[in-house]
């Protein structure tokens, strides 16, 4: 969990033009301990950054492109808006901003937004990583089960015997049961729709 004492390790990018509001945001973030950089116009990629503050009213007003991978965001995104412009709100929703702060900049709330959004963002990343691992494991089990069924039906083997044969082949070839299972299914050219129901 990221706490107040961890703020100095956070790399913050401010996507904003040079103006008084931008200077106020930069000054406050530096006071609370963040390492802050500024850029304008918005970059095409975001690398080695933990948090992005972006002034969306300015981005829209200047008709600029804001490239953001909403499905796999590279960092926490906090939108900064001057007023509740429907265009800015729609844009923030579509790119799935993690939080929004309003202008003029007020010190109260920024620290809370930082800590809450960073912790939520990292927790979501961990959950997604766990989900991908579980999906990969499920697919591995599915491949092995299909290969067992194929061997049971083509060689009149029991489930235990079929799995034993898969293990022996894997050990003999110094590979995994999953790899052997995939090769067997490819050799038999069995697609999902061709697979019979297990007895």
């Amino acid at each position: 969990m990221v706490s107040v004492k961890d703020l100095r390790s956070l790399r913050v990018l401010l996507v904003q033009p040079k103006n008084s509001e931008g200077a106020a945001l930069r000054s406050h973030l530096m006071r609370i301990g963040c390492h802050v950089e500024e850029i304008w116009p918005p970059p095409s990629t975001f690398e080695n950054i933990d948090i992005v503050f972006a002034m969306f009213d300015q981005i829209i007003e200047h008709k600029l492109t804001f490239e953001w991978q909403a499905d796999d965001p590279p960092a926490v995104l906090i939108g900064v808006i001057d007023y509740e412009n429907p265009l800015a709100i729609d844009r923030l929703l579509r790119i799935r901003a993690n939080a929004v702060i309003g202008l003029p900049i007020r010190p109260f709330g920024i620290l809370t937004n930082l800590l809450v959004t960073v912790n939520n963002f990292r927790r979501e990343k961990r959950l997604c990583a766990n989900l991908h691992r579980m999906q990969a494991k499920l697919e591995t089990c599915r491949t092995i089960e299909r290969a067992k069924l194929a061997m049971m039906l083509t060689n009149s083997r029991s489930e235990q015997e079929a799995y034993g044969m898969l293990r022996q082949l894997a050990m003999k070839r110094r590979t995994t049961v999953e790899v052997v299972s995939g090769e067997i299914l490819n050799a038999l050219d069995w697609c999902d729709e061709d697979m019979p129901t297990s007895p």
Side-chain angles (χ1 to χ4, degrees):
M1 182 182 75
V2 176
S3 62
V4 175
K5 68 179 188 315
D6 301 316
L7 289 176
R8 291 186 183 278
S9 67
L10 297 179
R11 297 155 300 178
V12 179
L13 179 66
L14 306 183
V15 181
Q16 60 186 23
K18 299 286 186 181
N19 57 31
S20 59
E21 293 293 353
L25 179 57
R26 178 187 177 93
S27 176
H28 184 64
L29 289 169
M30 291 179 70
R31 272 199 305 274
I32 62 180
C34 299
H35 174 71
V36 182
E37 297 179 14
E38 285 184 272
I39 192 168
W40 188 259
S44 58
T45 60
F46 296 86
E47 297 178 358
N48 301 317
I49 294 295
D50 297 303
I51 304 169
V52 176
F53 283 84
M55 289 196 173
F56 274 87
D57 291 322
Q58 295 291 327
I59 291 170
I60 292 171
E61 182 180 331
H62 289 85
K63 298 180 180 179
L64 298 172
T65 300
F66 187 81
E67 300 288 349
W68 192 256
Q69 300 297 323
D71 291 330
D72 187 20
V76 170
L77 176 61
I78 299 178
V80 183
I81 58 175
D82 192 7
Y83 64 98
E84 291 185 328
N85 178 348
L87 288 176
I89 293 171
D90 181 66
R91 191 88 166 269
L92 288 164
L93 289 172
R94 281 191 286 109
I95 63 175
R96 301 174 198 165
N98 300 100
V100 178
I101 60 173
L103 297 176
I105 294 298
R106 296 179 180 85
F108 179 78
I110 292 180
L111 176 59
T112 303
N113 259 316
L114 275 175
L115 293 176
V116 170
T117 53
V118 169
N119 281 300
N120 285 343
F121 178 82
R122 293 186 177 182
R123 182 168 60 250
E124 184 177 343
K125 283 284 189 181
R126 288 194 299 272
L127 289 172
C128 286
N130 288 338
L131 178 60
H132 290 321
R133 282 194 294 270
M134 290 175 65
Q135 288 174 330
K137 187 174 181 178
L138 181 62
E139 186 58 33
T140 296
C141 292
R142 185 169 175 269
T143 298
I144 294 170
E145 288 299 315
R146 291 172 67 223
K148 279 198 310 184
L149 179 58
M151 296 188 75
M152 289 164 64
L153 294 174
T154 56
N155 296 293
S156 300
R157 303 281 183 176
S158 68
E159 182 177 357
Q160 187 174 359
E161 289 173 331
Y163 185 68
M165 290 176 66
L166 290 173
R167 287 191 62 187
Q168 286 178 355
L169 284 169
M171 291 172 63
K172 182 177 180 181
R173 298 179 54 187
R174 296 184 179 180
T175 186
T176 65
V177 174
E178 180 190 7
V179 169
V180 169
S181 298
E183 291 174 349
I184 288 173
L185 293 174
N186 287 334
L188 292 173
D189 195 25
W190 276 18
C191 301
D192 283 346
E193 56 268 23
D194 297 330
M195 289 296 294
T197 303
S198 178

